[in-house]
Amino acid sequence: MGLTAGPSGGVEVVERAAFPVNKGALCGKGRTAPALLSSRVRLTEPLVRSHATGKLAPATWEEALDRIAGELSRVRTEHGADACGVFGGGGLTNEKAYALGKFARVVLGTSQIDYNGRFCMSSAAAAGQRAFGLDRGLPFPLEDIPRTGCVILVGSNLAETMPPALRYLTELRENGGTLIVVDPRRTRTAEQADLHLAPRPGTDLALALGLLHLVVAEGRTHEEFIEERTSGWEEARAATMAHWPEYVERITGVPVPQLRETVRMFCEAETSMVLTARGPEQQSKGTDTVGAWINLCLATGRAGRPLSGYGCLTGQGNGQGGREHGQKADQLPGYRKLTDPAARAHVAGVWGVDPDALPGPGRSAYELLDALGGEVKTLLLMGSNPVVSAPRAAHVEERLRSLDFLAVADVVLSETAELADVVLPVTQWAEETGTVTNLEGRVLLRRRAVSAPAGVRSDLEVLHGLAARLGHEKGFPVDPEEVFEELRRASAGGPADYSGISYERLREGDGEGVFWPCPDADSDVPEPAPGVPGPAPGILEPAPNVPEAAPGADVSVGAAVAPHPGTPRLFLEGFATEDGRARFVPVVHRAAAEETDAEYPVLLTTGRVLARYQSGAQTRRVDELNSAAPGPFVELHPRLAARLGIADGEAVAVVSRRGRAVAPARVTSSIRSDTVFMPFHWPGEGRANSLTHPALDPISRMPEFKVCAVRLERAERV
């Protein structure tokens, strides 16, 4: 979001109307964010669990850091480096995500690092990599959305999760475009649509395949585009043709006339887009599901051309940047692959270590959490609250309790921090400088507005202090600009190339940021290793309105080189694959990991509400937001409520094979009668993730948050 923070008895949030992303609009969470700066709700001193009493008690920073370093050192010595785990977050700045990944691999030497973004965008990222050779949430700016002809929005409730972005869909319709929303609930976003499709949860893959089947059957494919700019169409086409409309209607519950109308609206518009969010992605087949929607774009020529394409709507504050610079189990900075010898050599050179000393890929997020207390004995966790946010949450809580040692760095005493042996109070948004990268790939500089309380340190200071205690006096600076300068060098030549971006450039700009990839024209970009493809033609489409050199201007070698303008729009000339072609991937529908049966006859899907964010660890400490959303609820259809004898507001228990949650019933006709919905922001009795299924997508390792089988019971209390 774009805002300016200025002192007014603390911090006052002032909207920036000229900022190109949200254009001055803020949701309640952004407007009330200064409340979290209060010492009343946030941590202001380290806490260490007493061996004598078993309780957390205030301690000095030296005591806290000594305790963490000592335990990490002991566990490494007794059990090996991979017994030390590290868990990060999608809200960390680019600098902190980079430093955390470096700390895990260089200081601890562990492969066991991942982050909560694995629960958010990983299926879309995997599908984008597979089809286009590159993952960036949106390959075009948000400003392009109102200018296209048709948008299919799949599994997103922007009106509640990203309210400022809803204006782009409003403007789309005002400009004569059409909006199709795919969601099993008639949300506030779906109410804005020209057409609302309400498929059964877990059937988005069949829906996309059924639409593509109709595209083929009705002769709406773009044969020239397919021939010139893609590969793999025949195999994908053959797989698609098994999903005829009536078959898809039986699976999804979406009537054939709605399928045909969707195809007509999408294909008859001159330009079109498909945007996905967590709905189709948080499934055990999420990568294939997103891939099917990408196939629809490719078959109709709606990719790699202006005002058309596929995009993913990122769900965390730095969800895009957080997955680019090394806190994922399989990645190095710059979106490099940890298994790529050339990538390992380049990053190891920047870090001053032997490439062979870098560990290989480790466990994904849920698999890492599931291994706690077993092969992984200790965990350093920053900016995440898996006790509330992880699937099969009661089991994850049990694994956290079984650790030899848990250290948590956070702004507030979250449910996960309450279990820790050491809790470190760290700075937050207004108290620190750093960069974040939004869903468009726009790198932004967020500047410190106020000083943190005396007992609070930055995550970079935490890593510096721990690294020094573990024998690495250098290599972990506390100045974010110094960290970013190293990040630039580590990312140079990689898919997410930041080398042409600097703090100086971001400060001197108008605050609108710079889109990656943005190589540094003055530096030597590392050559690809033999057999490793370099950048494909057409990835770098410069920013618009860049003036050409004047006639007679000196453009010879040795002349001053203008900085690269950044890349707001990708793929217009070619895709980031070895041959520059987008790849169709043949996919077929398959059932969810857990379907309904006589014992568990109802489907549960989960999501967010307007006044809450992620696990709610911070927003549940803001009085205004608590008034707007005081607690969890179970949304169910009147027919289902009548059948079970459940009245609106009555306590209802939702039971799965993994746990039980209790919350008031919210009876509404805006949801399918075979489905119930719960928001996942609350701990305790109403914890929705006590119910969810940890089945993982085989490629992205994304858990299946969006669909599992449950039964409903009347409860004694809420």
Side-chain angles (χ1 to χ4, degrees):
M1 63 184 177
L3 57 84
T4 300
S8 176
V11 172
E12 176 187 5
V13 170
V14 181
E15 296 89 345
R16 290 175 53 197
F19 190 65
V21 180
N22 62 320
K23 301 179 182 178
L26 290 177
C27 68
K29 297 183 285 290
R31 182 172 44 78
T32 60
L36 294 165
L37 300 171
S38 168
S39 297
R40 181 178 63 86
V41 299
R42 54 93 56 83
L43 295 166
T44 57
E45 57 186 347
L47 303 174
V48 174
R49 194 169 298 280
S50 167
H51 291 298
T53 66
K55 296 181 179 180
L56 289 171
T60 67
W61 269 96
E62 287 65 32
E63 290 170 336
L65 293 175
D66 285 347
R67 177 93 171 262
I68 297 171
E71 289 294 329
L72 291 172
S73 180
R74 178 188 65 79
V75 167
R76 276 198 308 163
T77 300
E78 294 179 2
H79 302 285
D82 276 357
C84 297
V86 177
F87 200 88
L92 301 180
T93 63
N94 292 322
E95 293 81 2
K96 292 190 284 189
Y98 171 84
L100 187 63
K102 180 182 178 182
F103 177 84
R105 295 182 173 101
V106 173
V107 177
L108 298 180
T110 182
S111 66
Q112 300 303 302
I113 174 172
D114 210 73
Y115 82 126
N116 63 16
R118 179 78 67 173
F119 298 159
C120 202
M121 294 81 57
S122 58
S123 290
Q129 291 275 11
R130 197 164 64 169
F132 306 130
L134 183 70
D135 159 52
R136 196 180 81 185
L138 294 180
F140 41 75
L142 280 163
E143 67 184 26
D144 285 0
I145 293 175
R147 300 161 57 204
T148 193
C150 178
V151 169
I152 301 179
L153 183 66
V154 189
S156 171
N157 184 12
L158 275 178
E160 300 205 40
T161 60
M162 296 172 63
L166 186 66
R167 69 168 54 202
Y168 292 103
L169 300 180
T170 303
E171 291 174 11
L172 166 75
R173 299 188 69 209
E174 290 173 350
N175 292 340
T178 53
L179 173 64
I180 303 165
V181 171
V182 179
D183 198 306
R185 303 166 62 220
R186 188 165 181 81
T187 63
R188 290 174 56 200
T189 306
E191 289 175 353
Q192 307 297 314
D194 297 281
L195 180 61
H196 172 216
L197 311 182
R200 187 175 189 266
T203 65
D204 306 88
L205 175 53
L207 177 63
L209 289 165
L211 296 175
L212 184 51
H213 178 108
L214 285 170
V215 166
V216 175
E218 295 177 4
R220 297 182 184 269
T221 56
H222 195 305
E223 295 298 325
E224 182 180 358
F225 180 88
I226 292 171
E227 176 66 26
E228 294 181 357
R229 301 197 57 191
T230 72
S231 62
W233 168 234
E234 289 305 318
E235 294 83 356
R237 179 183 181 279
T240 297
M241 298 316 290
H243 302 79
W244 59 93
E246 292 75 15
Y247 172 61
V248 169
E249 178 181 313
R250 289 199 300 272
I251 294 172
T252 65
V254 177
V256 171
Q258 287 192 353
L259 299 177
R260 294 189 184 278
E261 180 64 3
T262 300
V263 168
R264 185 194 66 77
M265 294 167 67
F266 186 73
C267 293
E268 291 185 1
E270 186 175 346
T271 57
S272 304
M273 296 176 180
V274 171
L275 305 177
T276 68
R278 308 298 79 77
E281 298 162 20
Q282 288 181 327
Q283 300 184 31
S284 59
K285 51 182 181 293
T287 301
D288 283 355
T289 300
V290 174
W293 289 103
I294 291 175
N295 284 351
L296 177 66
C297 291
L298 294 177
T300 54
R302 300 313 211 261
R305 41 184 295 221
L307 306 182
S308 285
Y310 163 78
C312 163
L313 299 174
T314 305
Q316 293 198 65
N318 193 30
Q320 181 65 51
R323 68 183 186 254
E324 295 169 0
H325 297 299
Q327 63 174 334
K328 281 185 73 175
D330 54 353
Q331 283 182 359
L332 289 170
Y335 231 143
R336 287 183 159 93
K337 294 180 179 179
L338 193 53
T339 54
D340 177 358
R344 294 171 66 88
H346 172 70
V347 174
V350 173
W351 288 349
V353 299
D354 185 341
D356 292 337
L358 296 177
R363 292 176 172 90
S364 70
Y366 179 77
E367 292 167 305
L368 173 56
L369 295 171
D370 189 42
L372 299 180
E375 294 181 38
V376 180
K377 308 292 184 184
T378 187
L379 185 70
L380 172 63
L381 185 146
M382 287 184 164
S384 187
N385 189 18
V387 166
V388 177
S389 63
R392 197 185 174 196
H395 172 73
V396 169
E397 180 177 345
E398 177 187 329
R399 302 320 308 151
L400 285 161
R401 292 181 183 276
S402 72
L403 281 164
D404 287 7
F405 183 79
L406 171 63
V408 173
D410 210 332
V411 173
V412 298
L413 190 65
S414 69
E415 288 71 25
T416 303
E418 289 177 351
L419 305 180
D421 298 284
V422 176
V423 182
L424 301 176
V426 292
T427 51
Q428 55 178 308
W429 63 282
E431 302 164 346
E432 61 186 12
T433 293
T435 61
V436 295
T437 306
N438 79 346
L439 72 168
E440 309 163 298
R442 187 193 299 259
V443 183
L444 300 158
L445 179 62
R446 189 177 66 194
R447 308 188 200 195
R448 184 174 68 86
V450 296
S451 297
V456 174
R457 297 184 183 181
S458 74
D459 298 87
L460 294 180
E461 290 177 291
V462 169
L463 295 174
H464 172 84
L466 292 176
R469 285 166 170 78
L470 293 168
H472 292 258
E473 296 285 344
K474 297 181 179 180
F476 291 88
V478 300
D479 178 6
E481 185 168 2
E482 190 175 345
V483 177
F484 190 80
E485 285 300 304
E486 184 176 299
L487 182 157
R488 292 176 64 198
R489 292 188 286 118
S491 73
D497 190 336
Y498 281 32
S499 61
I501 307 172
S502 66
Y503 269 42
E504 180 181 6
R505 183 173 179 183
L506 294 173
R507 286 193 196 101
E508 292 177 351
D510 51 13
E512 295 187 3
V514 180
F515 292 84
W516 72 258
C518 182
D520 185 355
D522 292 324
S523 67
D524 294 326
V525 175
E527 291 291 331
V532 178
I539 300 177
L540 307 182
E541 184 266 328
N545 302 320
V546 176
E548 296 182 1
D554 183 4
V555 292
S556 61
V557 175
V561 180
H564 190 283
T567 315
R569 296 172 181 84
L570 300 170
F571 313 139
L572 296 187
E573 298 299 327
F575 296 93
T577 57
E578 192 168 351
D579 58 5
R581 291 172 171 265
R583 302 186 185 100
F584 281 99
V585 178
V587 294
V588 295
H589 175 70
R590 59 184 186 273
E594 183 178 72
E595 294 286 353
T596 55
D597 56 22
E599 187 176 3
Y600 299 94
V602 178
L603 291 172
L604 168 71
T605 191
T606 63
R608 288 161 53 182
V609 296
L610 178 60
R612 293 287 175 237
Y613 183 69
Q614 304 300 69
S615 75
Q618 295 185 26
T619 57
R620 285 185 273 110
R621 287 166 168 81
V622 178
D623 292 341
E624 181 179 332
L625 300 179
N626 285 335
S627 297
F633 58 86
V634 180
E635 189 176 280
L636 69 160
H637 193 276
R639 286 200 297 272
L640 179 59
R643 189 164 68 246
L644 298 173
I646 295 172
D648 188 69
E650 185 178 5
V652 58
V654 185
V655 184
S656 78
R657 290 178 173 87
R658 290 154 296 282
R660 184 176 188 268
V662 179
R666 183 174 293 183
V667 180
T668 172
S669 59
S670 65
I671 191 169
R672 289 175 56 99
S673 60
D674 58 0
T675 301
V676 296
F677 167 83
M678 288 190 72
F680 64 85
H681 311 289
W682 285 271
E685 192 174 44
R687 182 173 60 184
N689 277 320
S690 295
L691 309 168
T692 50
H693 203 299
L696 302 180
D697 181 288
I699 300 170
S700 69
R701 315 308 289 169
M702 167 78 83
E704 190 150 62
F705 288 100
K706 286 301 181 187
V707 54
C708 70
V710 298
R711 68 171 181 266
L712 273 61
E713 303 169 349
R714 297 180 67 179
E716 294 293 327
R717 58 185 176 85
V718 177

